[in-house]
Amino acid sequence: MDFDINALPPCDVLILGAGLAGLCAAQAALAAVPGAAVTVVAPWPGPTGSSLANRNGRLGLHVPADDAAREAFCREATELGRPGRVRPDLVAVLAAEAAARCRELEALGVALRPGADGDLAGQPSCFSPDSRRAVIIEDLPAAYGALHGRVLSLGGRFSPGLTALSLLRDPDSSRVRGALLEDYAGRRFVAPARETIAAMGGTAGLWLYNQAGRGGSGWGHGLLAAAGAGMANTAFMQWLWMGTATRRFWPVWRLATGEAVLCDEAGRPTPLPGDVRAAAAGRAGHCPLGHGLPDAALDRFVLDQADALGIAAVTEGATRTQIVLAAQATNGGALIDATGATDVPGLFAVGECATGMHGANRLGGAMATACLVFGARAGRAAALRAKDAAEAAGDIRGLAASTPRACCRDMRQRGEIRRQVADALQRLGLPRGEADPAPLICRLETLDASASDAGAASLVAAALCFARGKASAPPVDSPAQAVTDASCVSS
């Protein structure tokens, strides 16, 4: 079925996503170039994404405040990132600028929970339970309101109710010229832009069981890969155990401490082997599964007792609970430089769309800090590049119309393929010890061949980013590599 393609007003900077990363990018772009035309589009109005609309209702930021804390952050973050791909220069930028960006939040009126001595930081974080470098934002709607209001006051423009279907790339120059969007009614729009920033979040929302924030499509990685961006770490998800009934986090380390007992399919107690119990000693120090860490032996053992969907049974006293390994967030995405730019001209990526500042794992709160730091850097760089650009984006309707599947909309097909993708990921994509990714890739490629709807094709492409990354990633139990002693604190 064919659709007319409408056009939004051309802009200097187009930002796809209105979570923490997207709003920080918009604010920085408008501050860097007053009067710049900056447009923020998102599927939903109001708070969205794993940052501002997560299930916990609060957000942690990792904020090293002095040289010693920054040095420790760099060392820990780099070591945790292995065996994924980590860029020490990006880690150093994150450490160096975190405190300044956090102070900017305070200046906007965002309330941060202080430490016991009144300092900015003071909370422990996952994978760094003995440090006190984290702060907590507890009123996320108020934080969204402050950031949204700041963007509006600087002259930014919001277009809610629009989902990005594809990034539009000039076949002659290979430059991204904007995006093809869809509204609730299925109408298509092109958004011409000199520079485009992808802040669409990660793939966690594609899983059958997930703890991703509301409002994201889940297919940002697919759009980036289709545009030619180099991708990395896409197999490394953050996984949390949660109760299937409550959908709340469940602390799996209770099995190692004896507070809970794992059961087999018949309901009989299944004691932990001695080596698993010993390896699990550090598991209480982090909520997500730790790729490459010894205590992941506990998660793998529980998965071995789980059913095909990753659901296991546990008892706590007289209470029997079903728990499942759920996808929470993405550690992978497009590889970026220190400005947030990808290797595709005209295209930046921030938040869960980007990687390199963390790899297989990340310190608790480091993603929110990356949204602040690299959101600001990408927004500023994109606005300055747009200001100096020699050519305007122009009318790109023809480019959109020539994009495969651009004008096809079949919501029944999209819903069915989303269901099949969720089932395939849950059954074949969990981090089981020796799971072969080939069946998952085959199943997704079959779905891709049958997808004529533009949204269905984008979500399958995002799932394939994960599956193909899994095929090339080190085994799930590969140990984290040692980090060098060289300083990586940025001046």
Side-chain angles (χ1 to χ4, degrees), residues 17-42:
L20 184 61
L23 293 177
C24 287
Q27 176 181 292
L30 291 159
V33 182
V38 176
T39 299
V40 182
V41 302

Side-chain angles (χ1 to χ4, degrees), residues 193-237:
R194 293 176 184 267
E195 302 289 336
T196 299
I197 300 176
M200 296 172 280
T203 57
L206 299 180
W207 263 258
L208 183 61
Y209 290 100
N210 70 78
Q211 289 201 330
R214 68 176 184 181
S217 66
W219 59 55
H221 283 196
L223 271 60
L224 287 161
M231 308 292 286
N233 301 322
T234 54
F236 296 117
M237 305 291 297

